[in-house]
Amino acid sequence: MKRYQLIKIAVILFCLVQALNPISLSAAGLNLEEIINSGLKNNYELKMARENLLSSRLETREKQGYFTPSLSFSGYHTETEQFDPTWSYTITKEYSASLTQPLFNSSLARDQEESLLNERTREALFLEVKEKAVFDMMMAVFRICRMLSQQTITEESLKFVEKSVSIQQKLATASYGSKIDILEAEVELARYQKENRQISNKLSLELLNLSQTTQQAISIDQFPSVESVSESEFNDDFPRDAQYWIDAALQNSTKLVQARLKQELGHLDRDRSYDTFKPTMDLSFVHTISEDDSVTSGTVRDNAIKLSFSVSFTPLASYYQLQRLDVDQAVLVMEETKAKKELQDQIYSQLESLKISESNLEMQKKWVVKQEEIINLYRKGFEKKHFPISKILDLSRKYNESMLELAKTRIDTWEIKLQLFYLSGLLDKKAITYFSKVNH
């Protein structure tokens, strides 16, 4: 007896430890970071964005190369035969090589600035594609968790109805029920079987899609059930201050980064307009070799140093161009202001949705507990022939719907938090760690 009591105490302690240390996605065998990294590695859109970024970096180096001396080679060879008034045959040859160093060329500097801005734009686009890929994969994981919870709850309801049908059949055998009651119970049982089959099929397809995206073999066993994950696990250090998310979004949002880069490109175009009033200056060294057998049988060689400059502009067109660029710049500023306003509104909306969702979650928990008490009382009364099976089936259906709604709300809170990480540009920096951690 003492040994039995010790075993019982050990089991109770183990259950308490599990309750105080709820498992997370990683603890259940699902390595979220590994899945994300594998999905990014096999994402073709991200690969193309990375190649575009590499192309922009090479373009920047290309523009820098135009500041170095340029080499040019030219030459011609002509043979002329004259018939009248006297016959003659002339061969003329000339070859030249030149080395030109730009001394002052504002367009070269602007081209380099533009290439640097294009590189930063491609980098922002790369991060945008990466964040979207991470967001989609994490949403896919949450969808699987949602479907898995639906499957688990439906299976439990199915077992409950199966047991109720068995009891009803025994009561009917003892002349305490009718065939209509048995048929009603069997119809309800078939409904649950159909729902369970549909959820299982959707779950298999969603799991297959995630496996194809990540190129990893992912099984259902790696995912935790919703009942084994406490939402308090994600509430300890989650920021609730709207200003925290807004400040992060203003600093990290790829949309805002691209809006600011467009403004810098607008300023660059305006500087180009002013550059038309500046001269272009080049210094060249030219070496020429020429030979003309009609004049001399020798070869003439000469070297020349040439300083050249030019200025060309159209005053009227330049004036209206500057006016147009000022208007375009004002539009770009309004685009950034609009993007900021939209981000702030979305963050406030998500935080309010999170507050409502968590409040609903607490209310649903209390409602489910009451339903469990009621259905247990009716179940005992049903076994003692006090209530018809229709009442038990109706309560079972309502309890099933409440459990499904509870699971849905819990996953909704996860998705809302994920949206906040995504909007603020912290998805790749903090979200993966947040949803993978184990609460000790």
Side-chain angles (χ1 to χ4, degrees):
M1 177 64 91
K2 290 182 179 179
R3 183 180 179 183
Y4 173 76
Q5 290 176 341
L6 289 174
I7 293 175
K8 188 174 181 180
I9 292 172
V11 171
I12 294 173
L13 289 174
F14 176 77
C15 293
L16 287 173
V17 170
Q18 292 297 315
L20 294 174
N21 295 277
I23 64 174
S24 70
L25 297 176
S26 60
L30 188 70
N31 192 326
L32 191 59
E33 185 174 359
E34 182 180 343
I35 286 177
I36 297 298
N37 290 335
S38 180
L40 294 176
K41 183 179 179 181
N42 295 281
N43 188 295
Y44 283 97
E45 289 187 7
L46 190 61
K47 289 180 180 179
M48 290 188 290
R50 185 181 290 110
E51 293 301 318
N52 288 332
L53 177 58
L54 176 60
S55 176
S56 294
R57 289 172 178 170
L58 293 174
E59 182 185 6
T60 300
R61 296 182 180 180
E62 175 191 346
K63 298 301 182 183
Q64 290 173 344
Y66 288 114
F67 287 95
T68 60
S70 61
L71 301 174
S72 65
F73 301 92
S74 64
Y76 67 86
H77 176 99
T78 62
E79 298 183 12
T80 306
E81 184 177 9
Q82 181 178 319
F83 296 98
D84 292 321
T86 59
W87 182 89
S88 66
Y89 187 81
T90 305
I91 299 176
T92 306
K93 303 174 184 178
E94 183 172 312
Y95 305 97
S96 68
S98 65
L99 183 146
T100 302
Q101 172 63 52
L103 297 180
F104 182 82
N105 191 333
S106 56
S107 64
L108 294 180
R110 302 308 177 195
D111 289 343
Q112 185 184 17
E113 290 180 33
E114 184 178 13
S115 66
L116 289 170
L117 289 174
N118 288 335
E119 180 181 340
R120 291 167 58 191
T121 301
R122 291 285 179 85
E123 185 176 359
L125 289 172
F126 172 79
L127 293 175
E128 184 178 30
V129 173
K130 183 180 179 181
E131 287 180 350
K132 184 64 169 59
V134 173
F135 178 79
D136 289 342
M137 283 185 284
M138 293 189 72
M139 286 294 288
V141 170
F142 290 168
R143 284 196 299 271
I144 292 175
C145 289
R146 186 191 300 272
M147 293 179 184
L148 186 59
S149 66
Q150 293 174 350
Q151 184 186 52
T152 302
I153 293 169
T154 303
E155 286 177 351
E156 291 299 320
S157 299
L158 180 60
K159 293 177 182 178
F160 179 82
V161 174
E162 284 177 343
K163 188 173 181 180
S164 299
V165 170
S166 176
I167 293 174
Q168 182 62 40
Q169 289 174 341
K170 292 178 181 179
L171 292 175
T173 302
S175 300
Y176 287 106
S178 64
K179 292 183 178 180
I180 295 178
D181 291 334
I182 295 176
L183 182 60
E184 184 179 1
E186 290 176 344
V187 168
E188 188 72 4
L189 180 62
R191 187 180 72 83
Y192 276 113
Q193 290 172 341
K194 177 184 176 182
E195 290 180 0
N196 188 47
R197 184 167 55 252
Q198 290 175 340
I199 295 172
S200 298
N201 292 337
K202 291 179 180 178
L203 183 59
S204 298
L205 289 175
E206 194 68 40
L207 191 65
L208 176 62
N209 291 335
L210 184 60
S211 297
Q212 290 175 341
T213 300
T214 60
Q215 294 296 300
Q216 285 191 346
I218 303 175
S219 64
I220 292 294
D221 298 336
Q222 294 175 262
F223 288 83
S225 62
V226 176
E227 290 79 6
S228 64
V229 181
S230 171
E231 34 62 49
S232 62
E233 159 190 12
F234 296 119
N235 283 341
D236 294 338
D237 56 355
F238 188 81
R240 305 294 170 135
D241 183 16
Q243 196 59 45
Y244 168 85
W245 298 104
I246 292 173
D247 291 342
L250 295 178
Q251 182 179 357
N252 302 305
S253 173
T254 55
K255 290 183 178 180
L256 290 181
V257 170
Q258 293 177 57
R260 292 164 187 152
L261 288 172
K262 286 181 180 179
Q263 292 181 48
E264 291 188 43
L265 284 170
H267 286 299
L268 180 61
D269 289 337
R270 202 172 194 280
D271 292 338
R272 284 185 189 276
S273 298
Y274 282 112
D275 288 342
T276 59
F277 299 98
K278 301 175 183 179
T280 299
M281 300 180 63
D282 297 321
L283 180 64
S284 302
F285 173 79
V286 182
H287 178 70
T288 305
I289 303 175
S290 61
E291 183 179 343
D292 190 344
D293 65 357
S294 65
V295 179
T296 177
S297 59
T299 301
V300 178
R301 294 180 175 87
D302 60 39
N303 295 326
I305 297 177
K306 181 175 63 175
L307 178 64
S308 62
F309 69 93
S310 63
V311 179
S312 176
F313 63 92
T314 52
L316 188 62
S318 298
Y319 171 77
Y320 285 111
Q321 183 183 40
L322 289 171
Q323 297 296 315
R324 174 180 61 81
L325 292 174
D326 286 341
V327 175
D328 292 342
Q329 190 66 23
V331 173
L332 293 175
V333 172
M334 285 190 289
E335 286 183 1
E336 182 187 4
T337 304
K338 178 186 176 184
K340 288 181 179 178
K341 180 65 167 56
E342 289 177 348
L343 278 174
Q344 291 177 358
D345 291 345
Q346 289 174 342
I347 288 171
Y348 280 121
S349 177
Q350 293 295 334
L351 286 173
E352 186 63 25
S353 298
L354 179 61
K355 181 179 179 181
I356 294 173
S357 181
E358 290 176 340
S359 176
N360 290 339
L361 189 63
E362 295 301 320
M363 293 177 62
Q364 288 167 4
K365 285 179 180 178
K366 296 177 181 179
W367 172 235
V368 166
V369 170
K370 294 298 181 182
Q371 283 186 307
E372 288 177 349
E373 294 176 359
I374 294 174
I375 199 170
N376 287 333
L377 290 174
Y378 272 87
R379 179 62 181 269
K380 293 178 182 178
F382 169 68
E383 292 176 356
K384 295 179 180 179
K385 305 178 289 298
H386 294 161
F387 305 107
I389 192 172
S390 58
K391 187 65 176 179
I392 297 298
L393 295 177
D394 182 59
L395 289 172
S396 173
R397 189 182 305 113
K398 291 179 179 178
Y399 178 71
N400 175 265
E401 292 171 354
S402 298
M403 289 294 294
L404 291 176
E405 185 64 24
L406 178 63
K408 175 183 177 299
T409 305
R410 180 177 286 114
I411 302 297
D412 285 346
T413 60
W414 296 5
E415 293 180 351
I416 293 171
K417 293 177 180 180
L418 185 65
Q419 284 281 1
L420 285 167
F421 281 117
Y422 183 52
L423 290 171
S424 60
L426 299 175
L427 185 62
D428 193 35
K429 300 179 180 68
K430 293 188 176 182
I432 298 175
T433 303
Y434 177 79
F435 286 106
S436 298
K437 67 178 175 50
V438 180
N439 185 29
H440 297 287

